[in-house]
Amino acid sequence: MTLTLERLNAASHADALASLDGIYEHSPWIAEAALAQRPFRSLENLKLAMASVVREAGRDRQLALVRAHPELAGRAAVGGTLTAESNGEQSVSGLTHCTPQEFAAIQRLNTDYGTRFGWPFVLAVRGPRGTGLTRAEIIAVFERRLQGHPDVELAECLRQVHRIAELRLNDRFGMTPERGNLVWDWAESLAQHSDRPGQLTVTYLTEAHRACAAQLIDWMKGCGFDEAGIDAVGNVVGIYHAAGPHPNPLPEGEGVRGGARRLLTGSHYDTVRNGGKYDGRLGIFVPMACVRELHRAGRRLPFGIEVVGFAEEEGQRYKATFLGSGALVGQFNPAWLDQRDADGVTMREAMTAAGLAIEDIPKLVRDPARYLGFVEVHIEQGPVLNEIDMPLGVVTSINGGVRHLGEMVGLASHAGTTPMDRRRDAATGVAELALYVERRAASEPEIVGTVGMLEVPNGSINVVPGRCRFSLDLRATTDDKRDRLAADVLAECRRIADRRGLQVTLEETMRAAAAPSAPAWQTHWERAVEALGLPVFRLPSGAGHDAMKLHEVMPQAMLFLRGGNSGISHNPLETITNDDTDLCVRAFQQLLEQLATP
């Protein structure tokens, strides 16, 4: 019999505990502690309650939980002593049908892993889609994680334990994350288009980029959008009209049909080189899925929905970041048209070859009076949500930032004959600055600082460095915090140079204003998350997003989705699960319902 929340909440403690038996491998103490939090508002609420029990249990019990799991294709599998759940999971991925070579490789990895860490390798072999990883994928993950730090690896094992439990709960409750599966499948399919085989690279107006645009348009039409096309800079624009006529109509025009305003949403579909499948694209797919559900139900809302797949955000082919969203706020720089890519092709030539009407770019500017606001869904691109077992996070602000390129100059001299108290070492000067940046940024919440580039030109093993080039990347949730951080770092830089007898030059190369979420729109996201039975977790965005541009002309707010693999992004290891994605779609649907209710 399929389990329901109503039955679980109403059951005796013993019956409720029995109904959750086997969710966590040989660890009934987790369900027993979590049941104290009944009644559960949703399945997600139950999942989070159980994960919280583990997080608060302490290292000894966490290790015991990990050690309760069997090795993959190990002794328990060979001896037929796996639990029914583990046996089914290993069968889905074909671990019960390994070739002799695969079996030998897994046994070697089991031994090496156990020797290195002291616990068994844990992996949710049903994978992020729930349909099973291949044996080759399992072996590749095994080999990669074998190189990890023990603390990092234990944390990853626990996250995999929770994923295993989540999939078992889905089975027990008869739940299939259909909307999450849809978005996940779209992402997989779109990732087939790439500038380079064997990796995901999609840069502005390449053949792969244009294929992505065509695919998005086709999907939008299939979802029921009333209009779908490409604008003058290559943005993919899909429009789902409002119910009409509106009782207090605005004049017809961009953003208005039938007198109703639109909600603007979306993100970018270009990628960094060798990037991930979900950065940017998630923010296109999630509202597409919502429009699909509205269309299938024959519903229209009191406002229109405009989903924009921004053509360029990453600045990979040309030095023109936020080109797509910038065009909507009147910030397309005509000088960009004369930039050349690595093959000598100008942006003007690329746009002309793609059939874009350059002369129409000024017409893309949106009138904010015709829009309710802008919302964006995005993968977090960081470790925070993943570390606290939280699938969704509400963004409070997109960090403002400032960047500098600098150089310290001392005196190159012989490493053996120059006494330590007579050196003018440029590299140690920059190293001291890097440590100061680390201390200063760690001293105050919601700021970060990075020295990401550090280079000694023509350096030699036996020469005291006479020159050292470096970069500074300083970010904060408000412009005031950013400016105070920058002032302190630059002042310390000069103090270090003076004390060490060095010359320093600094060039500011970028300054971006912070983009705090509009309070009312942040509240919409918070209420949407609460409606799913989840607690609200707020966090800033350290990365830049298209919402920063729209922030300049209309209210905006963002929702983050947890990323797996410690939240890594801009990397092929970037990953999400179908369950988290389903929650994201449902949160967006909740936001739409709030806006539709007077």
Side-chain angles (χ1 to χ4, degrees), residues 76-230:
V78 174
T81 59
L82 291 175
T83 63
E85 293 84 1
S86 287
N87 185 64
E89 289 154 359
Q90 295 203 22
S91 297
V92 165
S93 288
L95 288 173
T96 54
H97 297 86
C98 289
T99 66
Q101 294 81 5
E102 290 169 336
F103 185 77
I106 292 174
Q107 298 314 303
R108 172 182 55 80
L109 289 166
N110 277 328
T111 299
D112 292 348
Y113 187 95
T115 299
R116 175 168 168 74
F117 296 113
W119 59 77
F121 175 72
V122 180
L123 177 66
V125 294
R126 287 172 64 182
R129 176 65 163 75
T131 50
L133 299 172
T134 66
R135 295 190 295 274
E137 288 171 330
I138 291 169
I139 291 171
V141 174
F142 213 149
E143 291 174 336
R144 172 175 59 82
R145 284 175 47 190
L146 182 58
Q147 309 306 315
H149 186 279
D151 290 343
V152 175
E153 183 56 21
L154 177 59
E156 183 60 26
C157 282
L158 291 171
R159 281 188 282 273
Q160 294 296 323
V161 166
H162 294 317
R163 176 60 177 160
I164 292 168
E166 176 169 62
L167 291 165
R168 292 177 179 181
L169 278 170
N170 289 351
D171 293 343
R172 201 76 54 94
F173 279 81
M175 199 285 283
T176 301
E178 294 180 356
R179 289 156 290 196
N181 288 340
L182 175 68
V183 170
W184 203 91
D185 292 344
W186 277 336
E188 285 292 305
S189 181
L190 201 66
Q192 295 175 17
H193 304 293
S194 178
D195 298 347
R196 297 182 180 182
Q199 61 173 247
L200 179 56
T201 299
V202 179
T203 59
Y204 187 54
L205 295 182
T206 60
E207 182 179 344
H209 186 273
R210 292 160 65 182
C212 286
Q215 182 64 80
L216 287 171
I217 291 170
D218 185 59
W219 283 336
M220 284 180 172
K221 290 178 179 177
C223 287
F225 282 80
D226 299 293
E227 303 175 35
I230 299 176

Side-chain angles (χ1 to χ4, degrees), residues 321-393:
T321 55
F322 299 109
L323 182 156
S325 52
L328 271 58
V329 298
Q331 292 182 9
F332 182 90
N333 185 351
W336 290 340
L337 294 169
D338 297 319
Q339 287 187 18
R340 294 183 181 273
D341 68 8
D343 296 320
V345 179
T346 67
M347 184 184 293
R348 187 189 308 275
E349 291 168 342
M351 295 178 81
T352 300
L356 303 182
I358 297 173
E359 66 277 7
D360 289 342
I361 292 176
K363 300 177 184 177
L364 301 183
V365 178
R366 301 301 198 262
D367 177 0
R370 297 174 178 270
Y371 290 87
L372 299 173
F374 179 81
V375 293
E376 182 175 0
V377 168
H378 207 282
I379 189 171
E380 182 201 348
Q381 298 184 288
V384 176
L385 295 175
N386 201 42
E387 288 178 355
I388 61 173
D389 305 310
M390 200 71 71
L392 302 176

Side-chain angles (χ1 to χ4, degrees), residues 541-555:
S541 171
H545 298 288
D546 290 299
M548 295 178 73
K549 286 297 177 185
L550 278 303
H551 174 83
E552 298 177 23
V553 298
M554 65 180 71

Side-chain angles (χ1 to χ4, degrees), residues 406-413 418 420 422-434 451 453-457 459 463-470 493 496-505:
E407 184 178 46
M408 284 192 181
V409 179
L411 180 65
S413 58
T418 308
M420 297 304 294
R422 288 173 174 80
R423 297 185 176 206
R424 293 166 58 199
D425 187 331
T428 53
V430 176
E432 184 177 348
L433 176 64
V451 177
M453 297 164 55
L454 198 154
E455 174 195 6
V456 176
V463 177
V464 176
R467 288 179 178 271
C468 188
R469 298 171 185 154
F470 64 96
C493 180
I496 291 170
D498 289 345
R499 189 176 68 253
R500 290 176 170 269
L502 307 172
Q503 293 179 324
V504 62
T505 57

Side-chain angles (χ1 to χ4, degrees), residues 235-480:
N235 294 330
V236 174
V237 183
I239 298 170
Y240 189 69
H241 294 315
H246 196 272
N248 298 298
L250 289 168
E252 292 279 342
E254 186 64 55
V256 174
R257 183 181 176 95
R261 292 189 291 174
R262 291 184 193 147
L263 173 68
L264 186 61
T265 186
S267 194
H268 61 97
Y269 65 92
D270 68 322
T271 75
V272 298
R273 288 178 170 83
N274 200 22
K277 302 172 184 176
Y278 312 102
D279 173 18
R281 297 170 174 201
L282 180 74
I284 306 169
F285 297 145
V286 166
M288 280 173 52
C290 292
V291 168
R292 178 177 179 268
E293 293 300 304
L294 288 169
H295 178 69
R296 293 176 72 186
R299 281 190 69 196
R300 293 191 181 270
L301 303 177
F303 52 88
I305 302 172
E306 181 174 339
V307 180
V308 182
F310 295 114
E312 200 288 331
E313 189 249 24
E314 300 288 5
Q316 298 289 299
R317 185 177 181 185
Y318 301 100
K319 295 179 180 178
T321 55
F322 299 109
L323 182 156
S325 52
L328 271 58
V329 298
Q331 292 182 9
F332 182 90
N333 185 351
W336 290 340
L337 294 169
D338 297 319
Q339 287 187 18
R340 294 183 181 273
D341 68 8
D343 296 320
V345 179
T346 67
M347 184 184 293
R348 187 189 308 275
E349 291 168 342
M351 295 178 81
T352 300
L356 303 182
I358 297 173
E359 66 277 7
D360 289 342
I361 292 176
K363 300 177 184 177
L364 301 183
V365 178
R366 301 301 198 262
D367 177 0
R370 297 174 178 270
Y371 290 87
L372 299 173
F374 179 81
V375 293
E376 182 175 0
V377 168
H378 207 282
I379 189 171
E380 182 201 348
Q381 298 184 288
V384 176
L385 295 175
N386 201 42
E387 288 178 355
I388 61 173
D389 305 310
M390 200 71 71
L392 302 176
V394 177
V395 177
T396 56
S397 177
I398 305 171
N399 283 3
V402 60
R403 292 177 181 170
H404 290 82
L405 292 177
E407 184 178 46
M408 284 192 181
V409 179
L411 180 65
S413 58
H414 197 292
T417 62
T418 308
M420 297 304 294
D421 62 351
R422 288 173 174 80
R423 297 185 176 206
R424 293 166 58 199
D425 187 331
T428 53
V430 176
E432 184 177 348
L433 176 64
L435 291 173
Y436 173 79
V437 170
E438 183 180 57
R439 289 195 306 273
R440 174 62 179 85
S443 70
E444 184 178 349
E446 300 182 334
I447 63 173
V448 292
T450 306
V451 177
M453 297 164 55
L454 198 154
E455 174 195 6
V456 176
N458 302 314
S460 179
I461 195 170
N462 60 349
V463 177
V464 176
R467 288 179 178 271
C468 188
R469 298 171 185 154
F470 64 96
S471 63
L472 291 170
D473 185 308
L474 309 172
R475 309 189 191 200
T477 51
T478 67
D479 293 342
D480 178 62

